[in-house]
Amino acid sequence: MHNYLDFEKPISDLEGKILELKKLASEDESVNTSDEIARLEVRVRDAMVEIYSKLSPWQKTQVARHPSRPHFLDYSAELFTEFTPLAGDRNFGNDDAIQAGLARFRGTPVAVLGQEKGNDTKSRIKHNFGSPRPEGYRKAIRVMEMADRFSLPLITLVDTAGAYPGVGAEERGQAEAIARSTEMCLNVKVPIVTVVIGEGGSGGAIAIATGNRVFMLEHAIYSVISPEGAASILWRDSTRAKEAASSMKITAEDLKSLGIIDGIIPEPVGGAHRDPASVISRTGTVIADALKDLSGRNGDELRTDRRQKYLNIGRNL
């Protein structure tokens, strides 16, 4: 059974009926339900196409946060070989919200960074729900320096609601760590390809997302603050998050039109969680094409291109 979102009730009802019919057929072989099941499956597909063709920004936010959506570890298992995770910031400790390491991507040595949210209670606590602490960003800086030193392309997969705002994180210099990580992204002389695979929240995302090429999955979101946070600030009422999401331009289509991202990776009908293998494969193809496009540029060109990309944002609005 899927974890259904509130706007997926028509799909939930139909798939529930299909399960009942399959159970009935399994209990009584004399009952033939195949025709009715086939008819209902067609209705499910039609309903899913209709619903997902007109998602609102708030509904896309819900899809981006879906608990069954593939996360960093799912992508790394399929896209990279010889993945060697690196831990610790050589200063305070290790942060499991940021995953980092060296790997091969289709035979090419690369450095890899990303946020991992976890997929059950135990792993979510371990990874702090994908919200990094300062030591996570300092680990990212260490890996970026290593990538620069050994001329390794850098691939980053973004999926965080934002950096962890706890007292301990602030005491250890959260803002400074995010700023230095963003600065390192701008300074390295290797190609950086970024994909927002779920949530791209605030400075917690941009700290590893300042790439030469930035892509988003179709139902991912990318924003300076969460809809709930914006509603709390604007109206002192977090329950108006739906209204905030509609005004914030957080969807892939909005950000592509504003020139903030370079492309959108299509998701299966029903979201990435309904067919993880296909969306991970498409993501790999997009990353490979981007790296090929950037491969002919030297370090200075890559750095200049990256800096100019962000200086140009908003100039033509």
Side-chain angles (χ1 to χ4, degrees):
M1 290 290 290
H2 292 284
N3 291 306
Y4 293 99
L5 301 169
D6 56 9
F7 61 85
E8 293 181 315
K9 191 175 187 307
I11 299 170
S12 171
D13 292 343
L14 290 169
E15 290 189 336
K17 291 178 182 178
I18 291 172
L19 287 175
E20 289 176 6
L21 289 172
K22 287 181 177 179
K23 182 179 179 181
L24 178 63
S26 67
E27 293 173 348
D28 186 352
E29 294 182 359
S30 66
V31 177
N32 185 356
T33 61
S34 57
D35 290 343
E36 180 65 12
I37 288 174
R39 185 179 68 82
L40 288 173
E41 286 176 339
V42 170
R43 289 180 61 189
V44 167
R45 286 194 293 272
D46 290 345
M48 205 175 296
V49 168
E50 181 181 2
I51 289 170
Y52 274 80
S53 66
K54 54 184 181 182
L55 292 181
S56 69
W58 178 243
Q59 289 170 334
K60 281 184 177 283
T61 300
Q62 293 177 277
V63 177
R65 294 171 174 173
H66 196 286
S68 300
R69 193 174 179 85
H71 297 146
F72 174 88
L73 292 177
D74 301 302
Y75 284 83
S76 65
E78 295 297 324
L79 296 181
F80 307 117
T81 57
E82 300 180 37
F83 181 73
T84 303
L86 299 175
D89 65 348
R90 302 299 186 265
N91 183 34
F92 178 82
N94 184 50
D95 176 33
D96 283 314
I98 292 273
Q99 297 291 301
L102 305 178
R104 289 186 182 274
F105 173 69
R106 301 189 177 184
T108 301
V110 296
V112 184
L113 288 172
Q115 286 110 354
E116 171 61 37
K117 287 184 170 181
N119 52 22
D120 56 30
T121 301
K122 184 177 179 180
S123 62
R124 286 169 189 151
I125 292 172
K126 174 184 176 182
H127 297 291
N128 202 36
F129 298 85
S131 293
R133 298 176 173 89
E135 47 271 22
Y137 293 109
R138 293 182 178 123
K139 174 169 64 175
I141 292 168
R142 184 167 73 87
V143 172
M144 284 188 265
E145 288 175 337
M146 189 179 298
D148 198 36
R149 186 178 304 121
F150 294 105
S151 300
L152 299 174
L154 182 62
I155 298 170
T156 71
L157 303 177
V158 176
D159 190 13
T160 182
Y164 183 61
V167 173
E170 298 298 338
E171 288 175 342
R172 296 194 298 279
Q174 183 72 288
E176 181 264 354
I178 291 172
R180 288 194 180 279
S181 184
T182 307
E183 178 187 35
M184 184 57 64
C185 281
L186 289 169
N187 284 339
V188 297
K189 294 184 177 182
V190 295
I192 302 178
V193 177
T194 294
V195 182
V196 182
I197 59 175
E199 286 186 273
S202 191
I206 198 68
I208 66 167
T210 312
N212 295 89
R213 297 290 182 272
V214 181
F215 302 94
M216 287 177 67
L217 294 190
E218 182 181 358
H219 301 312
I221 60 171
Y222 193 17
S223 61
V224 71
I225 191 172
S226 69
E228 293 89 344
S232 295
I233 292 171
L234 293 174
W235 302 297
R236 299 184 184 277
D237 182 2
S238 62
T239 63
R240 296 178 68 177
K242 180 178 180 180
E243 185 179 346
S246 299
S247 304
M248 289 170 61
K249 306 296 183 184
I250 63 177
T251 68
E253 292 81 2
D254 289 330
L255 295 166
K256 179 69 168 62
S257 69
L258 293 170
I260 293 171
I261 64 170
D262 299 290
I264 300 171
I265 301 172
E267 294 189 29
V269 176
H273 55 282
R274 286 187 174 263
D275 189 0
S278 69
V279 78
I280 291 172
S281 176
R282 289 174 191 168
T283 300
T285 299
V286 168
I287 292 171
D289 290 344
L291 288 176
K292 183 179 179 181
D293 180 53
L294 295 168
S295 62
R297 306 186 186 189
N298 63 40
D300 289 328
E301 290 173 333
L302 289 166
R303 183 167 64 177
T304 300
D305 170 79
R306 195 181 309 120
R307 290 180 173 183
Q308 197 59 47
K309 173 187 177 68
Y310 288 90
L311 288 172
N312 288 340
I313 290 176
R315 283 188 174 178
N316 297 321
L317 297 182

